[in-house]
């Protein structure tokens, strides 16, 4: 995406009370169907969905903020039903963004969602805790060696090691 292209976000939920958020694009009729679902790459279909649990506070549907993790892909769908006719009044895939004003979704296409999961399979993310532990261990060794051999020599040796082990980076 170019820097001039605007990111389209939609407010999906607003704060109701504490950690509970009320959906803004929701059909409230008796026969309506609504859901929020976490999206994963599917095994038998394009996507697998894990539906989020809803709660009721003062007869209002709400969801817990902790289920809307920053950067995660969520699908929301609201369907209005009258007789035998059904109409999706709101539907989309969204990358979640949290801020003080509510929970927002950055629109993402199904194609881009599939590409995202494909990329994630090729380059799995390192968990932050593992990354932090590794950083601490390497930092400790580098500090000890810097005290013994000097900063300049350590920088040169690290650069050589990086070139040798990771030539494409």
């Amino acid at each position: 995406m170019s820097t001039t292209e605007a990111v389209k976000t939609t407010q999906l939920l607003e704060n109701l009370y504490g950690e509970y958020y009320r959906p803004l694009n929701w059909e409230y009729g008796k026969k309506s169907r609504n859901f929020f679902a976490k999206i994963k790459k599917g095994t038998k279909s394009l996507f697998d969905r894990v539906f989020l649990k809803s709660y009721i506070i003062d007869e209002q549907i709400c969801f817990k903020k902790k289920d809307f993790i920053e950067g995660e892909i969520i699908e929301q769908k609201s369907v209005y039903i009258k007789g035998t006719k059904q109409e999706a009044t709101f539907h989309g895939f969204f990358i979640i963004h949290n801020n003080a004003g509510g929970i927002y979704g950055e629109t993402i296409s199904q194609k881009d969602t599939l590409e995202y999961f494909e990329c994630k399979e090729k380059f799995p993310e390192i968990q932050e805790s593992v990354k932090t532990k590794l950083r601490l261990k390497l930092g400790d060794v580098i500090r000890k060696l810097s005290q013994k051999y000097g900063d300049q020599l350590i920088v040169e040796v690290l650069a050589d090691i990086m070139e040798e082990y990771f030539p494409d980076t």
Side-chain angles (χ1 to χ4, degrees):
M1 180 177 355
S2 70
T3 54
T4 57
E5 192 175 329
V7 175
K8 182 175 177 358
T9 60
T10 303
Q11 187 172 5
L12 301 175
L13 300 108
E14 66 182 1
N15 187 254
L16 178 64
Y17 172 76
E19 68 174 306
Y20 295 96
Y21 282 72
R22 176 178 85 82
L24 296 175
N25 303 293
W26 207 253
E27 287 296 329
Y28 288 97
K30 277 185 175 180
K31 296 182 180 181
S32 62
R33 273 189 297 200
N34 301 280
F35 69 82
F36 279 107
K38 291 182 183 181
I39 299 299
K40 296 179 184 176
K41 185 176 180 185
T43 51
K44 294 180 181 175
S45 60
L46 283 178
F47 302 104
D48 285 339
R49 293 167 175 83
V50 177
F51 295 96
L52 300 182
K53 180 176 176 26
S54 63
Y55 301 87
I56 296 179
I57 297 177
D58 292 333
E59 299 180 24
Q60 291 190 41
I61 302 287
C62 57
F63 294 85
K64 286 189 176 181
K65 183 177 182 175
K66 71 177 180 65
D67 291 332
F68 294 84
I69 298 167
E70 182 75 25
E72 196 165 68
I73 298 177
I74 298 282
E75 178 182 13
Q76 182 184 356
K77 188 169 188 178
S78 296
V79 178
Y80 173 78
I81 301 170
K82 186 171 184 178
T84 59
K85 293 188 179 194
Q86 297 184 19
E87 177 186 349
T89 56
F90 188 82
H91 183 229
F93 286 64
F94 303 94
I95 301 169
I96 295 301
H97 298 292
N98 293 296
N99 69 32
I103 298 172
Y104 288 77
E106 176 185 336
T107 304
I108 183 170
S109 70
Q110 290 183 351
K111 177 183 168 272
D112 288 344
T113 301
L114 289 169
E115 287 175 356
Y116 167 81
F117 289 127
E118 190 175 300
C119 183
K120 204 170 178 182
E121 283 177 0
K122 289 180 182 174
F123 305 103
E125 296 173 16
I126 296 175
Q127 291 179 335
E128 277 304 311
S129 61
V130 173
K131 190 176 177 180
T132 302
K133 285 179 187 176
L134 182 59
R135 183 183 183 92
L136 290 172
K137 284 182 182 180
L138 285 174
D140 189 40
V141 170
I142 291 169
R143 269 191 300 285
K144 287 178 182 175
L145 291 173
S146 289
Q147 289 172 351
K148 188 172 183 177
Y149 297 106
D151 291 348
Q152 187 59 40
L153 183 57
I154 297 303
V155 168
E156 289 176 24
V157 171
L158 283 173
D160 290 344
I161 290 171
M162 294 292 290
E163 257 181 56
E164 183 180 334
Y165 286 98
F166 310 106
D168 296 333
T169 57

